[in-house]
Structure formats: C-alpha cells, structure tokens
Amino acid sequence: MTLTLTVSDEVRTLVPGFTALVVEARGLVNGPSDEASSALLDEAARRLAERLDGRSPDQDPHIAAWRAAYTAFGAKPSRTRNSAEALARRALADGGLPRINRLVDAYNAVSVAHLIPVGGEDLGRIQGAMRLIRATGDEPFVTVAGGVETVEHPEPGEIVWCDEEGVTCRRWNWRQGPRTRIDDDTVDAFFLLEALDPMTGDELRAAGAELAESLAKLSPGARITVRDPE
C-alpha cells in the first residue's frame, strides 16, 4: 500500500513554492554504520565544503529560504535550525558528521551534499496518512527526555508533520520523534526530500535519484520508487 502525504492549504499559503519528493523503499537491509555508509558521509562533507567555498551554510540561498520559512511560522531559525543547516554545520565542524546506521547515513549524506532537508521514517510505524499542517497545539509529540518517555505539544501555528497517532517531526524538519525513526531493524522506509525556491525541480530530482542509488547499493534487491507526494 502506498503511503499518502498531503500538504495543507495553510502551509502552502504561508510558504509558497514548497515542493517535495518521496523515495519509498521496501526490503531494505539496515545495520550499524560501516565503511560504505561512512564513505558516503565523507564524500558529502567534501562536496559541501567545495560548494560553500568558505561561506557559512546560512549564506547558501536554499538554506536562507528555509530560515525565512521558519521565521514565517514563528520559529527562531538560529535557535532551532532546519535539519539541512544543522547537519551542514556538523559536517564542517571538527567532529564531522555522526554515524547513525547505514540507512540514516545514506540520507544524511544526500542532505549535506545537496543542502536539502531529508527525513526518513519507518513505514511499519506510520499510522495512516502523513500530513504537513499548522498545529493547533493539542497534537501529541512523543519524545524522550532524560531517558524517560514524555509527551510534548507543538506551539499553536507551528508547522509539523503528523500521522493519525500524533506529530512525527516538529518545526517542519527540526526534530523527529523516536516512534517512527529508522533503526537497525527497519526493512521498509520512506524518505522525504523537501525543497523551497530557489531549488529547482531538476535539482530536487537529482538529489532523489542519488539517494535511490545509494539505497540500492547498500541494500541490493530492495524495491525503490521515487515519486511526488500524493
């Protein structure tokens, strides 16, 4: 069954020009980070440094657009950075990019190389359809604080991804909840690449194709499709 993702009219009105691409993969084989997934991250960091040529990530036009989008719904983009900017800053720091697991490494590498927010979710843990909405403030967001599971709520008007059970990612693509994240046992997943002007459709599709290629190499035999959201 194909997962449905929809974007509310409220979001489209507030942030016009938003586009997305879905990479859906079934029959994946995940596991701890290894030489192959680490190489993807190292190459992505090299490409990022070449692209920025000494500039900070927030000076890139696409990251600047995401900062403006965050400001539009009331978030402080320097305090809660979009996922692409946060990863890019880590890639340029002395410690470099974290190694999480093979699948997360693959989509993090595409995010850094293309300076585009990319998220990954375990398809088996999604309840119903996915929606990008402006929150009322009542939606539950299950997270972990100090090793203890706790429930938070987004701020009214905050842009969030959610399914039928609650929020899966706060502040658009800032912080993913643990309920749906990809772990070593994940076999079916979807990856969402999110773009704003000035990123073009061709650039978005190129990033999606690169992720599909990486997943196919890491999980030979996986069934991978690249498509627009429903």
Side-chain angles (χ1 to χ4, degrees):
M1 184 175 179
T2 299
L3 178 69
T4 300
L5 297 94
T6 59
V7 180
S8 73
D9 291 340
E10 282 188 314
V11 172
R12 293 199 181 278
T13 298
L14 185 69
V15 187
F18 170 66
T19 55
L21 194 69
V22 176
V23 178
E24 192 168 309
R26 298 177 184 272
L28 294 164
V29 178
N30 201 13
S33 301
D34 58 13
E35 184 176 339
S37 68
S38 290
L40 292 174
L41 292 171
D42 289 340
E43 174 62 12
R46 185 198 66 76
R47 290 165 62 186
L48 173 70
E50 184 178 272
R51 170 175 176 156
L52 292 176
D53 192 25
R55 296 175 299 150
S56 60
D58 59 283
Q59 293 176 296
D60 181 87
H62 194 222
I63 297 301
W66 277 105
R67 281 180 156 247
Y70 270 46
T71 300
F73 69 81
K76 298 184 184 302
S78 293
R79 181 182 299 173
T80 55
R81 295 186 174 97
N82 69 82
S83 62
E85 181 180 352
L87 272 176
R89 286 178 175 273
R90 294 193 71 170
L92 297 171
D94 290 340
L97 287 164
R99 271 56 175 168
I100 308 298
N101 58 53
R102 285 159 54 88
L103 298 180
V104 174
D105 291 352
Y107 79 74
N108 280 349
V110 169
S111 176
V112 168
H114 293 266
L115 273 182
I116 179 175
V118 182
E121 307 277 4
D122 189 309
L123 273 169
R125 297 169 187 162
I126 296 295
Q127 302 299 315
M130 293 283 296
R131 297 171 294 132
L132 185 65
I133 64 170
R134 298 199 73 183
T136 64
D138 296 327
E139 298 88 351
F141 177 70
V142 179
T143 186
V144 176
V148 178
E149 185 175 286
T150 184
V151 178
E152 299 177 355
H153 298 276
E155 299 171 3
E158 181 181 326
I159 293 180
V160 297
W161 277 106
C162 61
D163 64 3
E164 299 304 322
E165 192 168 320
V167 174
T168 59
C169 195
R170 285 198 58 189
R171 292 181 189 153
W172 207 323
N173 45 44
W174 166 61
R175 181 158 66 114
Q176 182 187 31
R179 173 171 61 90
T180 59
R181 69 186 173 196
I182 291 172
D183 60 23
D184 287 358
D185 297 325
T186 296
V187 293
D188 299 329
F190 81 91
F191 306 86
L192 185 67
L193 294 79
E194 301 180 294
L196 297 172
D197 292 334
M199 176 169 269
T200 67
D202 286 345
E203 289 171 331
L204 176 59
R205 287 186 289 273
E210 184 174 320
L211 177 56
E213 181 180 353
S214 293
L215 294 172
K217 288 180 179 178
L218 292 173
S219 293
R223 304 180 302 282
I224 302 168
T225 57
V226 180
R227 61 179 175 84
D228 295 329
E230 297 294 316

